[in-house]
Amino acid sequence: MSFRLILVLDLEKAFDPATKPEFLAELRNSLINVGFLLLVNYEKYGPSRQDFEDIKNQLIRFFALPDEVKRDCEMIHSPHFLGYTRLANEITASQTDWREQIDLATELPAPKEGDPIYRNIEGPNLWPDEQHIPGFRKVITTYIEKMTQLSTTFRKLACEAIGLAPEALDGYFKENQQCKMKLVAYPDSDQLQGVKSQALDDLPETGQGVGPHRDSDLLTYIYQATEHQNSLQVQNFQGKWITVDNIPHSLVVNAGQTLEAITNGVCKATIHRVLNPAAGSGTRISIPFFQTIDLDSRKLAVENLPDEVLKLRDERDKAIEDWGVDVGFQFTPDLSQHAVGHAVFRNRIKSHQDVAERWYPTILEEVRALYSH
């Protein structure tokens, strides 16, 4: 049987010698056999409750700005896939995502001339005009700094959970490693009446907030800022959709394809989706934070994984093979052929085709040719 629920893990237990073994066992099971978990009692190691309240308020203020202000920082102006995306202008699993968002990241300079093309994923943010939304940049920058601290702490525990030294993944990170995040608004089905897709010819009746996909990063941390239930769903290995509970003050944590690749398939990047909120329930607010690794990383996999961990991976994979559940075309990291940035870059091109049309038209055509067959 595949998983039927998402475990809730208390981070404080990881720092008490009496409860750490239990915490690591639950974390191991979540990383290998589920790919998702809910994390509570983490505030000592990352953002405070006030930080979350501050960023929620900034999100609400941002999406209430006039369209012309938001469009001044629209992603189409960024070769780094950072900035604002209009409602219904992103594609996942060949359908429109009925959401509005802004992508932000650790502030970095643009890559140098002659650098590999995939390094263009990293670069400076497109910030909204501070005159229209005072304090926005400071709140976002503080949040990224504190979430980076939390994700570093949790990454080391993830290493221990699968039988590695806490610092086993340190070599995949560079100084001032960029992390990414989104502020996302999912209108309810009433609010979407009469709205047209900016990207395709489909309609809001699909109910797709975000289509079925796997994340490309190392680990994702999602703050569900409103009380909506039954929106975020994970597909278990038998094809059944399992709802992730929205527990107050929790963070959803899930493994990405990069973590799966560099742990030799031990940690599982699991298919998930978001459904738009039910009619009359209002806009759902979500703030995902993505921990990434150095785009130039080419190391095939960490070494010295314990036999018992590899056995758990093999048992899971045999079951997955028997059940035959998968998702539509996505680029997966193949570090034997390319640096990790190669796959991450192409997944961004596939999702944001208007941006790619402007900045990378040749690569866009290559990407379209691959996933259309």
Side-chain angles (χ1 to χ4, degrees):
M1 296 290 290
S2 187
F3 63 89
R4 291 289 189 274
L5 56 83
I6 311 299
L7 291 181
V8 180
L9 274 65
D10 183 337
L11 189 57
E12 287 290 357
K13 289 184 177 181
F15 300 98
D16 181 341
T19 55
K20 185 173 183 178
E22 175 191 357
F23 176 89
L24 292 179
E26 291 177 340
L27 180 53
R28 173 186 289 194
N29 178 62
S30 295
L31 290 172
I32 296 175
N33 292 318
V34 183
F36 269 74
L37 60 97
L38 284 159
L39 190 68
V40 298
N41 290 335
Y42 51 80
E43 290 88 352
K44 189 186 297 184
Y45 312 96
S48 66
R49 294 192 179 181
Q50 186 60 53
D51 291 323
F52 285 109
E53 191 63 26
D54 289 345
I55 198 166
K56 176 182 177 180
N57 289 336
Q58 289 294 336
L59 182 155
I60 293 169
R61 291 175 63 205
F62 175 80
F63 288 116
L65 291 172
D67 286 344
E68 60 269 21
V69 176
K70 290 184 285 188
R71 289 175 184 174
D72 280 345
C73 59
E74 195 165 12
M75 188 184 286
I76 192 71
H77 305 305
S78 170
H80 315 297
F81 296 93
L82 295 169
Y84 170 67
T85 300
R86 303 180 194 188
L87 176 63
N89 197 34
E90 186 176 3
I91 302 167
T92 305
S94 300
Q95 289 189 318
T96 299
D97 294 330
W98 297 92
R99 62 176 180 173
E100 183 182 16
Q101 63 189 17
I102 181 170
D103 285 69
L104 300 154
T106 310
E107 189 74 20
L108 292 178
K112 299 174 184 176
E113 186 176 351
D115 283 349
I117 190 72
Y118 58 74
R119 286 194 195 162
N120 280 291
I121 300 170
E122 296 183 344
N125 289 290
L126 291 182
W127 297 102
D129 189 335
E130 191 78 5
Q131 176 182 339
H132 295 284
I133 185 165
F136 181 84
R137 182 167 181 168
K138 179 175 173 51
V139 169
I140 296 299
T141 301
T142 298
Y143 186 80
I144 289 174
E145 289 174 352
K146 292 188 177 184
M147 281 301 303
T148 299
Q149 294 170 5
L150 175 62
S151 63
T152 300
T153 297
F154 191 81
R155 162 172 51 92
K156 293 180 182 294
L157 292 168
C159 287
E160 290 188 77
I162 60 172
L164 298 171
E167 64 278 4
L169 298 185
D170 288 359
Y172 291 94
F173 290 80
K174 63 182 179 182
E175 186 177 355
N176 199 24
Q177 177 68 47
Q178 188 180 66
C179 293
K180 298 179 181 293
M181 64 174 293
K182 295 176 184 282
L183 306 179
V184 191
Y186 297 92
D188 71 26
S189 56
D190 278 348
Q191 295 168 323
L192 288 171
Q193 292 298 315
V195 176
K196 294 184 178 180
S197 173
Q198 304 283 319
L200 299 171
D201 293 328
D202 53 355
L203 299 170
E205 281 72 15
T206 62
Q208 174 169 302
V210 180
H213 68 286
R214 298 181 176 94
D215 288 348
S216 293
D217 61 329
L218 191 85
L219 286 160
T220 302
Y221 301 79
I222 307 168
Y223 172 47
Q224 301 187 87
T226 50
E227 296 180 357
H228 293 84
Q229 300 286 351
N230 305 315
S231 289
L232 177 60
Q233 296 184 330
V234 182
Q235 190 174 41
N236 74 12
F237 308 133
Q238 292 175 291
K240 299 183 184 301
W241 288 103
I242 309 300
T243 296
V244 181
D245 291 335
N246 189 357
I247 298 174
H249 309 300
S250 67
L251 284 173
V252 181
V253 184
N254 65 276
Q257 291 178 312
T258 297
L259 183 61
E260 182 173 321
I262 65 178
T263 59
N264 203 15
V266 166
C267 299
K268 189 63 178 170
T270 312
I271 300 166
H272 54 288
R273 69 181 182 185
V274 175
L275 304 179
N276 281 112
S281 63
T283 299
R284 177 178 179 264
I285 294 172
S286 177
I287 305 173
F289 177 90
F290 307 98
Q291 184 182 35
T292 63
I293 68 170
D294 185 353
L295 294 170
D296 293 327
S297 294
R298 302 184 72 101
K299 290 194 294 183
L300 291 180
V302 293
E303 299 177 346
N304 303 318
L305 285 158
D307 289 342
E308 64 268 24
V309 168
L310 296 175
K311 181 180 179 183
L312 290 171
R313 175 203 63 187
D314 294 344
E315 290 172 348
R316 177 206 66 208
D317 287 350
K318 177 61 168 64
I320 292 174
E321 182 181 325
D322 291 343
W323 289 321
V325 174
D326 204 352
V327 72
F329 183 89
Q330 265 185 275
F331 293 94
T332 57
D334 181 357
L335 277 67
S336 66
Q337 300 292 323
H338 302 284
V340 69
H342 179 86
V344 177
F345 181 60
R346 280 157 176 75
N347 278 327
R348 295 296 278 167
I349 283 176
K350 181 171 174 285
S351 294
H352 294 278
Q353 296 189 18
D354 60 333
V355 180
E357 187 74 60
R358 175 172 181 179
W359 297 99
Y360 312 105
T362 301
I363 300 176
L364 174 60
E365 289 309 308
E366 295 172 1
V367 167
R368 284 173 170 165
L370 285 169
Y371 78 78
S372 63
H373 290 88

